[in-house]
Amino acid sequence: MPTQDHPRGVFVTFEGGEGSGKSTQIKLLAERLARDGRDVVVTREPGGSPGAEILRHVILSGVGKLLGAEAETLLFAAARDDHVRAVIAPALARGQWVLCDRFFDSTRAYQGRVGGVDRALMESLQRVTIGDLKPDVTFILDVPVEVGMRRATARRGAAAPDRFEAETIAFHQALRDAYQAIAAAEPARCVLIDADRDADTVAAAIWSALPARLTSP
Ligand code: Z5A
């Protein structure tokens, strides 16, 4: 695995809709990298740092939605700001691999492309929270909406759906379209992965796509 081009560490993000299998694939990739001798940090958004985890609780409770789309976007941005400063930037500076479950593409997809939040606001928040800290590679896990929702419902059991799990089929379809558009617009960074396959097959596709992305200019 080529890492000499990345003295700052390697930043890998995972994106996708409900039940697309991000957490499962992050765990598999982290185990494989660790076996390969890499020093790996696994984290997530919203959350990932103590301050951001508090905001995660607020957001997923649905309070942010009550405040309106712009205010909810500010909550995600505040969480990301803390997470980047407290966890991601220090880990990359130490030369570690950072595997993050969701990052700024989630804001672009959920709040921007689907939620209709003003583009100028989104760009300002992105500049303030992450600056030029873009992921080296982003895996966008793509599954049909009904497959993702079936998986998420089975995993949730009798628990109540959270703020995003409770959204409509149309919302989740628009989200899938948004992620496909992001992947098409940034092919050097984003890899669209067919995640409607068994977990080991998806993991193999991710592993084989990784080296080429890390060495591309
Ligand atoms: N959000 C936002 O709006 N704006 C932002 O800026 C950010 C986030 C950062 C956070 O939800 C919500 O916040 C999210 C977007 C929004 N909303 N939604 N929906 P979260 O963190 O609570 O959950 P999530 O990110 O959506 O992930 P998830 O639903 O937990 O799913 P996942 O991590 O992608 O999947 P998984 O846990 O790996 O797998 C789900 C189930 O499927 C589980 O039982 C697995 O065993 C099973 N699975 C996994 N892979 C497979 C395969 N290949 N085949 C069969 N079954 C599988």
Side-chain angles (χ1 to χ4, degrees), residues 18 21-24 56 76 80 102 107 111 155 197:
E18 180 83 358
K22 298 177 279 74
S23 314
T24 302
R56 175 186 175 89
F76 279 114
R80 179 160 306 130
R102 299 194 179 281
T107 308
Q111 282 68 52
R155 186 197 45 193
R197 299 178 286 177

Side-chain angles (χ1 to χ4, degrees), residues 15 86 89 91 104 141 178 180 195:
E15 298 279 356
F104 77 135
L141 304 194
Q180 290 177 348

Side-chain angles (χ1 to χ4, degrees), residues 29-38 40 97 99 207 210:
L29 181 59
E31 288 169 358
R32 190 151 188 184
L33 287 167
R35 283 200 302 275
D36 215 27
R38 309 295 172 189
V40 182
W97 284 65
L99 309 187
W207 184 252
L210 198 50

